Amino acid sequence: MKKEKSFFFHSTIRRMIRDTRPIWKWLLLSCLLSVGIIACSILAPELLGGLIDRLYAWVQSDRSETMASLLLPGLLALFAVYAAQAGITYGNTFLLNNVVSRFYTAGLRIRISDKLQRLPVSYMDKTPTGDIIDKMQEDVSNMGNSIHGIIEVLITGFLQIIAISIFMFMENWVLALAVIALTPLSLLLSSKLASLSEKSWHSAFDYFGKMYAAVEESYTNFPATKAFNLEEHVQQHHDTVNREHQDIAYRGYFLQGIVQPIIVFTDALAYICVALLGGWLIVYHSLPIGTVVTVILFAKQLSAPLERIANGFGQLEMVKACSKRVYDLLDLPDESRPEKTFQGSVEGNIRFENVDFSYSEDKPLIENLCIDVKKGQNVAIVGPTGAGKTTIVNLLMRFYDLKGGKVLIDGQDIAELSRDSTRELFGMVLQDTWLFKGTIAENVAYGKPDATREEIITACDRAYCDHFIRTLPQGYDTVISEDTTTISAGQKQLLTIARALLANRPLLILDEATSNVDTRTEILIQKAMDKLMKNRTCFVIAHRLSTIVDSDLILVLDHGRIVEQGTHRELLAKKGFYYQIYSSQYAI
């Protein structure tokens, strides 16, 4: 297990560094600036030690030279070094913040967004939206911050320790040994504690994703929460998830936070040892005071990179947990992408040949399904909840792939066609209207972005929504969204029908488009749909059977199987399953 963890840790670091290739020149410049910072940190104690030796010599001399003239050049040089160090540090931080944010962090989010477009719909169905947002926001931000850590901590910190150690030995090897003796202990303790925090961070970020999901769910279902007086229940759920995350994260933060006090403690021991040993060497071995002061300053400077490295180990364990979640998403297999396009013009003959499908391996849903739909037919699909009605639509649109069998459109197997090519054949009007934030004209033109204003108005007129659009303050330029309350559910549905009319696709899917509207609006929607369905092969998913009595073919599904098929009159005459459903809806 330890070998696997170590391997993953190193492979993650290598992969993160590999992902920084587009900004390697900027990172190289940052490393060079870091060398400048280290040079300033080395030069400052040397200058200060020299000033102290000069001051000590001046005190012991006849003092013919003024103190100001003696110390002023050195003080100016020391001021210039510290000013340069501050300026270079600011420039390096500004460089990393801008480059990492603009290219690395933004690039990762773009890659995740592109990846989501290539993943099958099944991934989105089983993954909470909040968890995806958490990965794109928090996890990627932590990974971006780690690039700062790799440069500032692992590179600058180790280089600074090496440089300071060399110069301390050049000053006095005895004092240098006293400082260096405790350094391995600090690094050992920090790395050990960091590794202990790894498990806590993995669990903490999993719970953080659950928190995002809980928050997203509560705001999405806010009206329902209010309607059923479930505010307290939702609050308790949030508290439970938050408390579990807090308990796990506390251990990670504790283990990460305890590292720095340990480093400070060991540095304090080194500082005390150097001070006492330096005093003894000054008294008994005539060691220059400036040398002792220089080494003491080096010892204090050595604590800073040690603390950064110790914190860096803890942060890298946090980043390890974040990067695993991000890379697990990026490494998911893409859905198959055939490139073949539909050949010839679309007639509209659709055939299901021995189709098998299930959402999970242990729960079969559709088995050996056979459907033969002719050009221009209006096919209604009815059945109880869970019978597989929406699943047939999902298979037609290739949101899911078949487990067996074929779906043919005009004799062409859609499994061999690109998904874009298949979906371009279908227009859709769903039970749940979907509108994005934008003008009414933009929403109607969603399926045909290059449509002219005249085409949009014509489609809306045919869908019986032109009149109410013109009564709005800005007409077709009125900004709406899914949450807009200034237009009714029925008016939103008419807009989606106008969208389908404008797209003018040869095949059509209607998923209970009249279920959420009043009777008057239902009549308008039904008229608009009649226009939409004309001269098209249509699949209509219906719960309200009054809307499909004129269908050319009604398929009655139960547990993924067609148990009956025929026209409305034929099915009623059989007095079978369809008759039972119809009677239950209209029984008095």
Side-chain angles (χ1 to χ4, degrees):
M1 180 62 73
K2 289 184 178 180
K3 288 184 178 180
E4 291 177 1
K5 288 184 177 181
S6 176
F7 172 79
F8 176 76
F9 175 80
H10 293 300
S11 65
T12 301
I13 296 300
R14 287 199 303 270
R15 185 167 181 177
M16 289 175 60
I17 293 174
R18 188 166 64 246
D19 286 342
T20 63
R21 282 180 296 185
I23 58 172
W24 72 269
K25 292 181 180 179
W26 295 107
L27 295 182
L28 179 60
L29 176 59
S30 176
C31 291
L32 293 176
L33 291 175
S34 298
V35 172
I37 295 171
I38 294 172
C40 291
S41 67
I42 296 297
L43 187 57
E46 293 286 347
L47 289 173
L48 187 57
L51 281 174
I52 291 175
D53 280 339
R54 200 174 303 170
L55 180 62
Y56 182 77
W58 179 79
V59 172
Q60 300 295 327
S61 67
D62 55 5
R63 305 181 186 181
S64 58
E65 188 179 5
T66 63
M67 184 185 298
S69 61
L70 177 71
L71 299 181
L72 186 59
L75 289 174
L76 290 174
L78 192 62
F79 174 81
V81 169
Y82 279 123
Q85 184 178 18
I88 296 172
T89 301
Y90 172 78
N92 194 27
T93 303
F94 182 82
L95 172 69
L96 282 175
N97 284 338
N98 279 273
V99 171
V100 172
S101 297
R102 289 179 57 191
F103 298 101
Y104 179 80
T105 305
L108 263 180
R109 290 193 174 112
I110 291 171
R111 286 173 59 192
I112 292 175
S113 180
D114 291 342
K115 183 67 178 183
L116 292 174
Q117 302 300 320
R118 301 193 304 272
L119 290 176
V121 175
S122 58
Y123 174 79
M124 304 302 294
D125 284 346
K126 66 184 180 183
T127 306
T129 304
D131 189 53
I132 296 175
I133 294 174
D134 179 36
K135 290 175 182 177
M136 294 187 71
Q137 182 61 35
E138 297 296 332
D139 291 347
V140 172
S141 293
N142 286 325
M143 292 176 69
N145 292 335
S146 72
I147 302 300
H148 294 252
I150 291 173
I151 298 294
E152 296 176 358
V153 177
L154 299 182
I155 296 178
T156 306
F158 279 114
L159 285 177
Q160 192 171 2
I161 289 173
I162 293 171
I164 289 174
S165 300
I166 292 172
F167 276 87
M168 280 196 301
F169 275 100
M170 291 173 63
E171 289 291 331
N172 185 273
W173 67 271
V174 177
L175 293 176
L177 281 178
V179 176
I180 299 299
L182 294 172
T183 300
L185 177 61
S186 299
L187 292 176
L188 179 63
L189 287 173
S190 61
S191 61
K192 202 72 176 176
L193 289 170
S195 63
L196 290 175
S197 68
E198 175 192 350
K199 185 176 181 181
S200 297
W201 286 126
H202 278 291
S203 300
F205 281 108
D206 285 340
Y207 272 99
F208 205 55
K210 293 179 181 179
M211 286 177 58
Y212 262 94
V215 171
E216 186 268 339
E217 182 182 71
S218 64
Y219 281 112
T220 301
N221 300 318
F222 187 75
T225 302
K226 287 289 186 182
F228 288 96
N229 295 322
L230 292 175
E231 294 92 339
E232 186 175 346
H233 172 75
V234 171
Q235 183 63 46
Q236 290 175 351
H237 176 61
H238 285 188
D239 291 343
T240 300
V241 176
N242 189 50
R243 196 177 302 110
E244 290 171 341
H245 172 263
Q246 180 183 5
D247 292 341
I248 295 173
Y250 175 81
R251 174 178 168 84
Y253 281 116
F254 174 79
L255 291 172
Q256 181 180 339
I258 200 174
V259 171
Q260 187 171 1
I262 291 175
I263 298 297
V264 171
F265 176 73
T266 55
D267 289 341
L269 292 179
Y271 185 74
I272 293 171
C273 292
V274 171
L276 293 176
L277 183 59
W280 184 80
L281 290 174
I282 290 171
V283 173
Y284 292 102
H285 294 274
S286 302
L287 186 69
I289 295 176
T291 299
V292 176
V293 171
T294 301
V295 174
I296 288 175
L297 290 174
F298 277 139
K300 291 298 290 181
Q301 283 196 0
L302 195 65
S303 65
L306 282 174
E307 290 176 19
R308 290 202 302 270
I309 290 172
N311 287 331
F313 280 129
Q315 290 174 354
L316 286 175
E317 292 300 333
M318 182 195 300
V319 171
K320 179 179 176 180
C322 294
S323 61
K324 183 180 186 304
R325 285 159 48 84
V326 170
Y327 286 136
D328 281 350
L329 171 57
L330 292 175
D331 292 339
L332 288 173
D334 294 349
E335 65 179 358
S336 60
R337 288 186 169 269
E339 297 182 359
K340 185 178 177 182
T341 58
F342 190 88
Q343 303 299 311
S345 60
V346 182
E347 295 294 326
N349 299 297
I350 299 177
R351 182 176 177 81
F352 283 65
E353 289 186 355
N354 308 114
V355 169
D356 294 330
F357 175 78
S358 64
Y359 291 104
S360 59
E361 296 295 335
D362 57 334
K363 293 182 179 180
L365 178 59
I366 292 178
E367 295 180 309
N368 198 33
L369 178 65
C370 296
I371 304 174
D372 196 0
V373 180
K374 302 302 181 183
K375 171 185 175 181
Q377 276 192 318
N378 175 3
V379 180
I381 305 172
V382 301
T385 301
K389 300 184 297 297
T390 302
T391 300
I392 290 179
V393 173
N394 289 337
L395 298 180
L396 277 173
M397 295 294 291
R398 293 206 63 200
F399 293 150
Y400 290 84
D401 288 326
L402 307 178
K403 302 297 183 183
K406 294 180 180 180
V407 176
L408 306 172
I409 299 179
D410 294 336
Q412 300 182 46
D413 188 352
I414 64 172
E416 299 175 357
L417 305 177
S418 70
R419 282 176 167 78
D420 291 344
S421 178
T422 302
R423 291 166 187 167
E424 284 175 355
L425 305 177
F426 289 91
M428 292 187 72
V429 179
L430 304 179
Q431 177 179 350
D432 297 321
T433 58
W434 181 81
L435 302 173
F436 60 88
K437 187 172 183 179
T439 66
I440 286 179
E442 290 170 342
N443 270 278
V444 173
Y446 188 74
K448 188 180 179 182
D450 58 346
T452 64
R453 179 57 65 95
E454 289 74 18
E455 290 175 324
I456 294 171
I457 293 174
T458 300
C460 290
D461 184 55
R462 295 181 63 200
Y464 301 101
C465 54
D466 176 68
H467 172 72
F468 88 78
I469 293 174
R470 294 185 184 277
T471 63
L472 297 174
Q474 285 81 40
Y476 282 87
D477 295 317
T478 302
V479 176
I480 59 172
S481 70
E482 184 63 33
D483 299 325
T484 297
T485 57
T486 54
I487 60 177
S488 68
Q491 290 171 332
K492 291 179 182 180
Q493 192 65 279
L494 289 172
L495 290 177
T496 63
I497 294 174
R499 179 190 292 170
L501 279 166
L502 182 61
N504 196 28
R505 304 285 174 79
L507 307 173
L508 183 64
I509 295 172
L510 302 175
D511 187 354
E512 196 53 58
T514 62
S515 62
N516 296 324
V517 298
D518 59 88
T519 305
R520 182 176 179 276
T521 306
E522 180 183 352
I523 295 172
L524 288 178
I525 292 176
Q526 195 63 54
K527 288 182 178 180
M529 287 197 303
D530 288 341
K531 292 182 180 179
L532 181 60
M533 294 161 60
K534 189 175 181 180
N535 298 324
R536 289 183 173 89
T537 302
C538 304
F539 287 84
V540 181
I541 297 176
H543 297 285
R544 195 181 300 179
L545 300 186
S546 61
T547 61
I548 52 100
V549 293
D550 295 324
S551 297
D552 300 312
L553 176 65
I554 298 175
L555 304 177
V556 186
L557 267 65
D558 188 26
H559 296 96
R561 296 178 179 273
I562 297 178
V563 294
E564 291 179 342
Q565 58 180 306
T567 65
H568 173 69
R569 291 179 179 275
E570 291 171 349
L571 293 174
L572 285 182
K574 289 181 180 180
K575 294 192 175 183
F577 192 47
Y578 178 82
Y579 178 83
Q580 295 175 15
I581 299 174
Y582 188 83
S583 299
S584 66
Q585 287 193 7
Y586 297 101
I588 299 177

